[in-house]
Amino acid sequence: MSNPKIIDGKAFAENIRNKIAAQVASVQKAHGFTPGLAVVLVGEDPASKVYVRNKGEQTKASGMASFEYKLDATTSQETLLKLIDQLNKDAKVNGILVQLPLPKQIDAQAVINAIDPDKDVDGFHVVNAGRLATGGQGLVPCTPYGCLLLLKDRLGDLTGKHAVVIGRSNIVGKPMAQLLLNESCTVTIAHSKTKDLPGEVRRADIVVAAVGRPEMVKGDWLKEGAVVIDVGINRVEKDGKFRLVGDVDFQSCVARAGAITPVPGGVGPMTIAMLLHSTLVAACRQHGVELPK
Ligand code: GUN
């Protein structure tokens, strides 16, 4: 990747993972515990299976303990809640992640809210959403947290920047907007009912696209020099071949953007790196020790 405008999320995430591995070794030596992450997968969704496998592999590679639970697609909510209760009580488990989406018979928000908020490394529990909104010490959703690090790496202080977040999901859009607000950005949240999306985007110094619409954001929507973060991962077919594209039309945007994340290799690798970071943070808090420098 020779174009200096292209943000290399893969290399950035690798640096973070190396730092985490050193911090894990340091807590093991100084305090004698190993941080542990439990990942729960319900059903057979192919993309979820890949994500869960990658999470387990990278957890182990960082020196942390990985506990994987694979449940049948027909699992009842009651059974899943019993497992969550058991993991909440298990001192070896410092972080709990239930892979989404869940099968229809299960109320995902009820399951998330059954996780001990201090073990909720996804940051999706209503208590962690509240802490993020009110300035408390909580756990922050991994994907927006990773996007924020990439933005700060490129731009330094974000104070006063105009940020447009496209998408209002609980997983990305809303926490992303909250994180940018906490950095003193002026934040606009755009969504499917926004009247003039190109007009909103044209005013932005920072654009975060998280809508799940392939190549929707076009180059001529951008202000010259805007930093573009593409959270989308869309599998599209062209000429009989499948490829991954983001929510941003990379070819038209790269010319006008000041910096831009590619898909793949941009935001994607950051999500797991931030998950490992949150697991380490959660473990240190549970043990009442400082996070190693
Ligand atoms: N499915 C897609 N993204 C995520 C995520 O960040 N966390 C969980 N638990 N499930 C997901």
Side-chain angles (χ1 to χ4, degrees), residues 123 127-141 174-176 178-179 182:
V127 164
N128 283 318
R131 286 168 174 161
L132 183 60
T134 57
Q137 188 191 64
L139 292 163
V140 177
K174 280 189 261 183
M176 186 76 247
Q178 194 66 64
L179 284 167
N182 292 351

mmCIF file of all heavy atoms in Angstrom, residues 123 127-141 174-176 178-179 182:
data_model
loop_
_atom_site.group_PDB
_atom_site.id
_atom_site.type_symbol
_atom_site.label_atom_id
_atom_site.label_comp_id
_atom_site.label_asym_id
_atom_site.label_seq_id
_atom_site.Cartn_x
_atom_site.Cartn_y
_atom_site.Cartn_z
ATOM 1 N N GLY A 123 -19.292 -3.846 24.937
ATOM 2 C CA GLY A 123 -19.804 -2.516 25.313
ATOM 3 C C GLY A 123 -21.242 -2.282 24.889
ATOM 4 O O GLY A 123 -21.662 -1.140 24.724
ATOM 5 N N VAL A 127 -25.936 -0.476 30.511
ATOM 6 C CA VAL A 127 -25.116 0.250 31.498
ATOM 7 C C VAL A 127 -23.869 0.847 30.832
ATOM 8 O O VAL A 127 -23.495 1.991 31.104
ATOM 9 C CB VAL A 127 -24.736 -0.681 32.674
ATOM 10 C CG1 VAL A 127 -23.596 -0.095 33.498
ATOM 11 C CG2 VAL A 127 -25.956 -0.930 33.545
ATOM 12 N N ASN A 128 -23.247 0.085 29.932
ATOM 13 C CA ASN A 128 -22.065 0.624 29.239
ATOM 14 C C ASN A 128 -22.444 1.717 28.235
ATOM 15 O O ASN A 128 -21.693 2.687 28.070
ATOM 16 C CB ASN A 128 -21.269 -0.497 28.577
ATOM 17 C CG ASN A 128 -20.437 -1.260 29.601
ATOM 18 O OD1 ASN A 128 -19.825 -0.638 30.481
ATOM 19 N ND2 ASN A 128 -20.432 -2.578 29.515
ATOM 20 N N ALA A 129 -23.598 1.564 27.574
ATOM 21 C CA ALA A 129 -24.081 2.640 26.683
ATOM 22 C C ALA A 129 -24.307 3.908 27.510
ATOM 23 O O ALA A 129 -23.951 5.011 27.082
ATOM 24 C CB ALA A 129 -25.364 2.208 25.982
ATOM 25 N N GLY A 130 -24.871 3.728 28.708
ATOM 26 C CA GLY A 130 -25.120 4.868 29.599
ATOM 27 C C GLY A 130 -23.830 5.499 30.098
ATOM 28 O O GLY A 130 -23.702 6.720 30.168
ATOM 29 N N ARG A 131 -22.851 4.657 30.423
ATOM 30 C CA ARG A 131 -21.559 5.183 30.888
ATOM 31 C C ARG A 131 -20.887 5.991 29.771
ATOM 32 O O ARG A 131 -20.323 7.055 30.022
ATOM 33 C CB ARG A 131 -20.633 4.036 31.316
ATOM 34 C CG ARG A 131 -21.012 3.403 32.651
ATOM 35 C CD ARG A 131 -20.229 2.103 32.825
ATOM 36 N NE ARG A 131 -20.426 1.503 34.135
ATOM 37 C CZ ARG A 131 -20.157 0.233 34.401
ATOM 38 N NH1 ARG A 131 -19.677 -0.571 33.454
ATOM 39 N NH2 ARG A 131 -20.340 -0.247 35.606
ATOM 40 N N LEU A 132 -20.957 5.472 28.536
ATOM 41 C CA LEU A 132 -20.351 6.198 27.404
ATOM 42 C C LEU A 132 -21.046 7.554 27.218
ATOM 43 O O LEU A 132 -20.403 8.561 26.941
ATOM 44 C CB LEU A 132 -20.471 5.346 26.127
ATOM 45 C CG LEU A 132 -19.823 5.901 24.857
ATOM 46 C CD1 LEU A 132 -18.314 6.100 25.029
ATOM 47 C CD2 LEU A 132 -20.098 4.977 23.666
ATOM 48 N N ALA A 133 -22.363 7.554 27.398
ATOM 49 C CA ALA A 133 -23.128 8.794 27.184
ATOM 50 C C ALA A 133 -22.933 9.811 28.305
ATOM 51 O O ALA A 133 -23.112 11.008 28.085
ATOM 52 C CB ALA A 133 -24.614 8.461 27.036
ATOM 53 N N THR A 134 -22.579 9.327 29.497
ATOM 54 C CA THR A 134 -22.515 10.251 30.646
ATOM 55 C C THR A 134 -21.095 10.466 31.154
ATOM 56 O O THR A 134 -20.890 11.106 32.188
ATOM 57 C CB THR A 134 -23.386 9.733 31.816
ATOM 58 O OG1 THR A 134 -22.944 8.421 32.172
ATOM 59 C CG2 THR A 134 -24.860 9.700 31.455
ATOM 60 N N GLY A 135 -20.104 9.907 30.452
ATOM 61 C CA GLY A 135 -18.713 10.143 30.835
ATOM 62 C C GLY A 135 -18.203 9.238 31.937
ATOM 63 O O GLY A 135 -17.193 9.531 32.567
ATOM 64 N N GLY A 136 -18.884 8.102 32.166
ATOM 65 C CA GLY A 136 -18.419 7.153 33.188
ATOM 66 C C GLY A 136 -17.368 6.206 32.630
ATOM 67 O O GLY A 136 -17.121 6.166 31.427
ATOM 68 N N GLN A 137 -16.730 5.447 33.546
ATOM 69 C CA GLN A 137 -15.724 4.479 33.121
ATOM 70 C C GLN A 137 -16.411 3.157 32.784
ATOM 71 O O GLN A 137 -16.914 2.474 33.673
ATOM 72 C CB GLN A 137 -14.705 4.262 34.245
ATOM 73 C CG GLN A 137 -13.532 3.427 33.795
ATOM 74 C CD GLN A 137 -12.672 2.991 34.967
ATOM 75 O OE1 GLN A 137 -13.094 2.248 35.847
ATOM 76 N NE2 GLN A 137 -11.450 3.457 34.976
ATOM 77 N N GLY A 138 -16.464 2.832 31.504
ATOM 78 C CA GLY A 138 -17.137 1.592 31.103
ATOM 79 C C GLY A 138 -16.304 0.826 30.103
ATOM 80 O O GLY A 138 -15.084 0.961 30.061
ATOM 81 N N LEU A 139 -16.969 -0.007 29.325
ATOM 82 C CA LEU A 139 -16.328 -0.700 28.202
ATOM 83 C C LEU A 139 -16.978 -0.176 26.925
ATOM 84 O O LEU A 139 -18.189 0.017 26.871
ATOM 85 C CB LEU A 139 -16.507 -2.215 28.360
ATOM 86 C CG LEU A 139 -15.732 -2.818 29.543
ATOM 87 C CD1 LEU A 139 -16.270 -4.207 29.902
ATOM 88 C CD2 LEU A 139 -14.236 -2.890 29.243
ATOM 89 N N VAL A 140 -16.141 0.083 25.907
ATOM 90 C CA VAL A 140 -16.569 0.816 24.710
ATOM 91 C C VAL A 140 -16.691 -0.147 23.534
ATOM 92 O O VAL A 140 -15.804 -0.994 23.347
ATOM 93 C CB VAL A 140 -15.516 1.915 24.395
ATOM 94 C CG1 VAL A 140 -15.872 2.660 23.130
ATOM 95 C CG2 VAL A 140 -15.369 2.871 25.572
ATOM 96 N N PRO A 141 -17.754 -0.069 22.730
ATOM 97 C CA PRO A 141 -17.874 -0.949 21.565
ATOM 98 C C PRO A 141 -16.616 -0.922 20.683
ATOM 99 O O PRO A 141 -16.051 0.142 20.400
ATOM 100 C CB PRO A 141 -19.105 -0.402 20.827
ATOM 101 C CG PRO A 141 -19.948 0.167 21.923
ATOM 102 C CD PRO A 141 -18.952 0.781 22.888
ATOM 103 N N LYS A 174 -24.356 4.833 16.710
ATOM 104 C CA LYS A 174 -24.611 5.617 17.932
ATOM 105 C C LYS A 174 -23.371 5.733 18.827
ATOM 106 O O LYS A 174 -23.015 6.840 19.224
ATOM 107 C CB LYS A 174 -25.825 5.063 18.681
ATOM 108 C CG LYS A 174 -27.134 5.553 18.044
ATOM 109 C CD LYS A 174 -28.337 5.213 18.878
ATOM 110 C CE LYS A 174 -29.009 3.980 18.350
ATOM 111 N NZ LYS A 174 -30.246 3.624 19.069
ATOM 112 N N PRO A 175 -22.669 4.606 19.143
ATOM 113 C CA PRO A 175 -21.459 4.789 19.968
ATOM 114 C C PRO A 175 -20.370 5.588 19.263
ATOM 115 O O PRO A 175 -19.620 6.326 19.916
ATOM 116 C CB PRO A 175 -20.998 3.355 20.284
ATOM 117 C CG PRO A 175 -21.749 2.457 19.371
ATOM 118 C CD PRO A 175 -23.006 3.170 18.984
ATOM 119 N N MET A 176 -20.262 5.481 17.937
ATOM 120 C CA MET A 176 -19.274 6.275 17.190
ATOM 121 C C MET A 176 -19.555 7.763 17.369
ATOM 122 O O MET A 176 -18.644 8.558 17.633
ATOM 123 C CB MET A 176 -19.349 5.904 15.694
ATOM 124 C CG MET A 176 -18.285 6.559 14.840
ATOM 125 S SD MET A 176 -16.689 5.759 15.055
ATOM 126 C CE MET A 176 -15.712 6.994 15.851
ATOM 127 N N GLN A 178 -21.150 9.163 19.769
ATOM 128 C CA GLN A 178 -20.885 9.520 21.165
ATOM 129 C C GLN A 178 -19.389 9.712 21.409
ATOM 130 O O GLN A 178 -18.976 10.673 22.064
ATOM 131 C CB GLN A 178 -21.430 8.396 22.057
ATOM 132 C CG GLN A 178 -21.530 8.757 23.499
ATOM 133 C CD GLN A 178 -22.553 9.842 23.734
ATOM 134 O OE1 GLN A 178 -23.733 9.655 23.494
ATOM 135 N NE2 GLN A 178 -22.109 10.993 24.211
ATOM 136 N N LEU A 179 -18.570 8.803 20.860
ATOM 137 C CA LEU A 179 -17.113 8.922 21.033
ATOM 138 C C LEU A 179 -16.600 10.211 20.403
ATOM 139 O O LEU A 179 -15.734 10.893 20.967
ATOM 140 C CB LEU A 179 -16.400 7.720 20.388
ATOM 141 C CG LEU A 179 -16.465 6.408 21.163
ATOM 142 C CD1 LEU A 179 -16.000 5.246 20.286
ATOM 143 C CD2 LEU A 179 -15.616 6.475 22.428
ATOM 144 N N ASN A 182 -17.493 13.096 22.509
ATOM 145 C CA ASN A 182 -16.594 13.152 23.677
ATOM 146 C C ASN A 182 -15.232 13.753 23.322
ATOM 147 O O ASN A 182 -14.520 14.241 24.195
ATOM 148 C CB ASN A 182 -16.390 11.748 24.273
ATOM 149 C CG ASN A 182 -17.656 11.207 24.916
ATOM 150 O OD1 ASN A 182 -18.643 11.925 25.068
ATOM 151 N ND2 ASN A 182 -17.659 9.937 25.286
#
